[in-house]
Amino acid sequence: MSNTRPEKLKKALKPIHLWAIAVGLVISGEYFGWNNGWAVSGTIGMLIATLVVTIMYIAFVFSYTELTTSIPHAGGAFAYAYRAMGPVAGLIAGYATLIDFLFATPAVGFALGSYLHFLYPAIPVVGSAIIFNIVFIGINVMGIKESAAFSVFITILAVGELLLFMSVIGPSFKMSNYVSNPMPFGWSGVFAALPFAVWFYLAIEGVASVAEEVKDPRRNIPRGYIYGILTLVFLALGVMILTGGITDWRKLSSLDYPLPAAISIVLGKSNSLTRVFAGIGLFGLIASFHGIILASSRQVFAMARSGYLPRGLARVNHRFKTPHWALIASGIVSAIALLTGTTAQIIIISVMGAALMYMMSMVSLFRLRKKEPGLDRPFASPFYPYFPAIALVLSALCMFAIIYFNPRLSLWFFGGLVAVIILFMLMGKHKIKITDDVLLEQAETMIATD
């Protein structure tokens, strides 16, 4: 291996940036996507699924933070699995994380296009989504500090809008609407709704992808995660419950713009506030779109730097210190998905990647506790081993439910994984112990402190 160290990413992020990235990555899940869960489970069925998933994410975030602070690496779960179980495990976790982020981006892109189409019917959904893709790749190329500052601004606006939304529709909430036909598909509907409940929180793990760009990661990463998950739990439950009580929930269960539609039911579509809300509703979607592009590009960058993807994707722009080729590659994948899939399909595939990544991360945590008991853990998972065990079991439950209700998409997902593993083996990459300079430096540090 060459002794030349690659250029490093710039350290510029503080707790407010991490909170904004954490919430911004996820907040589009409060704006759309979750309502598809009503179509397969009803309001109470979706509520039960969401409570189960909320428990899973609370346990996961507190456990994942241990990994993020112990091994601050842009690859996230890929780096943890690599360190804990070797190259093949790293490949599986990396594949899952790439699917998670790369497919979440076009799902949000669809919603952005749909919101614009709601406001201006002449604007095509897919065309506008691709334009957003190009613009936000450019913003991310300009630099992490500038990108994070934009995240803070846009996330505060998005949170404020959801609070405004709840205050506007709250007085129109009727329990009779909410409990009307609450579980039309029984308990099987609860399982079918799990991937859409995951969409409320999916991508919060993306904070790990900027771990190498955080000032004082031991102190600041836990703060960013904890503040972020608390914000998201409040917003997810508030938006879902209040929206379900303003009308027959079936009217909103298949739309890509449920919140503007809900406002139009309460105030009337011709009301000026309805159009204003739909317009500023773009903020939440933009926050997630921007954040997920950031996270997916760092995952591509980290895997390329480790030799799992073409090395050229790990090049860092000399002026802005950002991985410009990784950003462009992520954008190309997003554009292809926009042209070939539907919102619900893309969400399900993204959630499959997330569920597998969560499982691999929790297994890595258990493995590292035994393999490297002396590893510096600035933030130890509380209630160990119960929290990581809860996260692992509930993630596996989500994966099982997705496979059961979406066998065709599951075949594509796991078929792709098998193909990648076979190619990996044929190329002999499973024999390479360490190819990533950052992982090497961390390993050397660990040896020096033993």
Side-chain angles (χ1 to χ4, degrees):
M1 183 179 68
S2 171
N3 291 323
T4 303
R5 301 294 193 196
E7 293 183 83
K8 294 184 179 180
L9 299 170
K10 183 178 180 181
K11 290 184 178 290
L13 304 182
K14 299 177 180 179
I16 183 64
H17 300 126
L18 294 177
W19 169 84
I21 291 171
V23 175
L25 278 164
V26 181
I27 201 166
S28 65
E30 277 70 19
Y31 281 81
F32 82 105
W34 60 267
N35 54 307
N36 288 287
W38 280 347
V40 297
S41 67
T43 49
I44 299 301
M46 180 62 180
L47 176 60
I48 294 171
T50 301
L51 292 175
V52 170
V53 166
T54 298
I55 293 170
M56 180 188 84
Y57 268 93
I58 290 173
F60 171 77
V61 163
F62 278 96
S63 302
Y64 197 67
T65 302
E66 174 178 319
L67 294 168
T68 308
T69 53
S70 302
I71 308 172
H73 188 279
F78 155 71
Y80 316 147
Y82 186 108
R83 176 107 169 225
M85 295 174 283
V88 176
L91 175 68
I92 295 171
Y95 172 85
T97 309
L98 280 175
I99 295 296
D100 175 5
F101 292 140
L102 291 178
F103 280 81
T105 306
V108 179
F110 267 128
L112 272 169
S114 296
Y115 266 63
L116 271 181
H117 185 71
F118 176 83
L119 285 169
Y120 307 102
I123 297 178
V125 173
V126 174
S128 58
I130 290 175
I131 291 173
F132 274 114
N133 204 30
I134 295 170
V135 169
F136 282 93
I137 286 173
I139 291 175
N140 274 279
V141 167
M142 289 173 61
I144 185 62
K145 185 175 181 179
E146 293 74 13
S147 178
F150 179 80
S151 291
V152 172
F153 170 73
I154 203 72
T155 300
I156 289 174
L157 289 177
V159 171
E161 185 191 13
L162 289 179
L163 295 175
L164 173 63
F165 171 78
M166 288 188 278
S167 68
V168 170
I169 71 166
S172 300
F173 175 86
K174 294 181 180 179
M175 184 58 71
S176 58
N177 287 332
Y178 190 72
V179 299
S180 175
N181 200 17
M183 294 179 65
F185 306 103
W187 286 100
S188 65
V190 174
F191 287 95
L194 285 173
F196 301 106
V198 168
W199 189 247
F200 268 130
Y201 304 106
L202 182 139
I204 191 171
E205 63 276 4
V207 174
S209 67
V210 296
E212 293 178 39
E213 298 161 273
V214 178
K215 291 182 178 179
D216 192 5
R218 298 183 177 191
R219 181 182 180 187
N220 292 336
I221 289 175
R223 289 183 176 183
Y225 269 128
I226 292 168
Y227 297 156
I229 193 66
L230 292 175
T231 302
L232 292 164
V233 169
F234 172 76
L235 293 174
L237 294 176
V239 168
M240 178 182 65
I241 292 171
L242 291 176
T243 304
I246 62 167
T247 187
D248 182 345
W249 53 266
R250 286 167 290 195
K251 296 179 181 179
L252 304 172
S253 64
S254 61
L255 301 177
D256 281 345
Y257 47 91
L259 303 196
I263 285 282
S264 70
I265 290 170
V266 172
L267 301 178
K269 192 167 184 179
S270 60
N271 189 294
S272 59
L273 185 58
T274 299
R275 295 185 65 82
V276 169
F277 182 87
I280 61 176
L282 294 171
F283 291 140
L285 301 174
I286 287 172
S288 286
F289 197 68
H290 170 69
I292 294 171
I293 286 174
L294 172 67
S296 62
S297 67
R298 269 36 175 199
Q299 185 67 31
V300 171
F301 165 79
M303 293 186 71
R305 185 176 59 186
S306 302
Y308 283 63
L309 292 173
R311 291 276 188 176
L313 297 176
R315 292 179 183 172
V316 175
N317 183 279
H318 291 293
R319 178 180 177 185
F320 299 115
K321 301 298 181 183
T322 52
H324 55 295
W325 288 116
L327 281 160
I328 292 170
S330 301
I332 291 171
V333 173
S334 177
I336 293 171
L338 282 166
L339 294 169
T340 58
T342 66
T343 304
Q345 290 173 333
I346 292 174
I347 286 175
I348 289 168
I349 292 175
S350 178
V351 171
M352 289 184 73
L356 179 57
M357 188 273 280
Y358 300 159
M359 294 164 62
M360 293 295 294
S361 297
M362 295 304 97
V363 171
S364 298
L365 190 153
F366 283 118
R367 177 64 178 151
L368 285 170
R369 282 284 186 121
K370 291 185 177 181
K371 181 182 178 183
E372 299 187 33
L375 178 65
D376 185 19
R377 294 177 171 86
F379 181 92
S381 173
F383 306 110
Y384 180 89
Y386 302 108
F387 263 22
I390 290 169
L392 177 59
V393 170
L394 292 181
S395 298
L397 177 65
C398 288
M399 178 62 83
F400 174 79
I402 297 169
I403 294 170
Y404 182 82
F405 288 100
N406 303 277
R408 184 176 178 183
L409 292 176
S410 300
L411 284 174
W412 280 105
F413 177 84
F414 286 104
L417 177 59
V418 170
V420 166
I421 291 174
I422 291 173
L423 180 62
F424 187 74
M425 295 290 193
L426 291 175
M427 294 177 68
K429 290 185 177 290
H430 62 293
K431 298 177 183 179
I432 301 174
K433 292 184 178 180
I434 294 179
T435 60
D436 185 325
D437 289 324
V438 174
L439 283 174
L440 178 59
E441 288 174 359
Q442 292 171 348
E444 289 172 344
T445 301
M446 178 62 195
I447 292 170
T449 56
D450 279 348

